[in-house]
């Protein structure tokens, strides 16, 4: 029977392989009922996709394989503490547990520094580095009003 260490070692193996094959040094696996159902490694530069982090790649694969957007009952193992984007995706996916190896400080030490993003999240929109300006709210609210009245909506 596989253990948590086995799953983490697989995530680390994926990170090593990715680092050797022009991807970033990150790997992730998602398990369900003690079996790996999805794997991911960093493909940002390989696919020219800034969202193709190991965790997001694994989440996409798991959702496709299980034919659901809700990964309740699953655990995620990742070779590094998730960045803010990945952490958000993990929460949206509803996995039960997150296990990580390297810390965000370890990542920062090799120039994967997320501290700006972490600091930006708590700031007011007008104080952020990238300007965020609201516009056409009244027009956009029509979609929210439609959604709120929809009887057959699928909540997530």
């Amino acid at each position: 029977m596989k253990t948590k260490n086995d799953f983490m070692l697989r995530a680390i193996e994926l990170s090593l392989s990715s680092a050797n094959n022009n991807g970033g040094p990150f790997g992730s696996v998602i398990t369900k009922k003690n079996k790996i159902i999805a794997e991911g490694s960093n493909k940002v530069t390989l696919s020219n996709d800034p969202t193709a982090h190991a965790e997001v790649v694994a989440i996409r694969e798991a959702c496709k394989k299980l034919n659901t957007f809700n990964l309740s009952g699953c655990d995620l193992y990742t070779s590094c503490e998730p960045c803010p984007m990945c952490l958000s995706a993990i929460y949206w996916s509803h996995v039960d547990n997150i296990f990580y190896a390297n810390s965000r400080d370890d990542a920062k030490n090799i120039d994967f520094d997320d501290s700006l993003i972490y600091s930006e999240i708590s700031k007011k929109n007008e104080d952020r580095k990238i300007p965020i300006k609201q516009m056409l709210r009244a027009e956009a609210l029509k979609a929210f009003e439609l959604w709120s009245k929809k009887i057959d909506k699928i909540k997530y």
Side-chain angles (χ1 to χ4, degrees):
M1 186 164 167
K2 298 268 186 184
T3 67
K4 287 178 172 62
N5 283 353
D6 294 324
F7 299 135
M8 184 58 77
L9 286 170
R10 178 60 184 151
I12 293 167
E13 183 180 322
L14 289 165
S15 73
L16 289 165
S17 176
S18 184
N20 280 323
N21 292 305
N22 297 319
F26 304 96
S28 183
V29 299
I30 296 176
T31 64
K32 186 169 188 168
K33 297 181 180 174
N34 210 42
K35 291 183 180 174
I36 294 175
I37 58 163
E39 297 183 341
S41 60
N42 184 284
K43 299 191 181 327
V44 171
T45 57
L46 295 173
S47 64
N48 292 320
D49 179 355
T51 69
H53 291 199
E55 298 91 337
V56 172
V57 170
I59 288 168
R60 289 173 180 161
E61 182 181 315
C63 290
K64 187 174 181 179
K65 185 172 185 178
L66 297 176
N67 195 33
T68 183
F69 54 82
N70 188 319
L71 298 178
S72 295
C74 296
D75 292 330
L76 184 140
Y77 296 80
T78 181
S79 64
C80 187
E81 184 176 357
C83 74
M85 176 189 70
C86 291
L87 188 59
S88 297
I90 292 164
Y91 271 92
W92 277 110
S93 74
H94 301 282
V95 300
D96 291 353
N97 296 288
I98 304 166
F99 301 96
Y100 71 94
N102 292 317
S103 71
R104 71 172 92 162
D105 289 329
D106 296 327
K108 181 179 179 178
N109 289 336
I110 60 164
D111 296 324
F112 289 95
D113 186 2
D114 297 323
S115 54
L116 171 69
I117 300 169
Y118 280 107
S119 71
E120 289 286 293
I121 289 170
S122 62
K123 291 180 182 177
K124 293 179 181 177
N125 286 349
E126 60 271 15
D127 296 332
R128 290 186 176 162
K129 184 175 179 167
I130 298 175
I132 300 176
K133 298 175 177 127
Q134 188 174 25
M135 55 186 286
L136 300 178
R137 180 174 179 259
E139 291 80 358
L141 277 174
K142 292 173 185 167
F144 280 15
E145 291 164 1
L146 179 66
W147 180 258
S148 70
K149 294 174 185 169
K150 191 172 173 75
I151 296 169
D152 60 345
K153 63 186 162 203
I154 299 172
K155 293 184 178 184
Y156 59 95

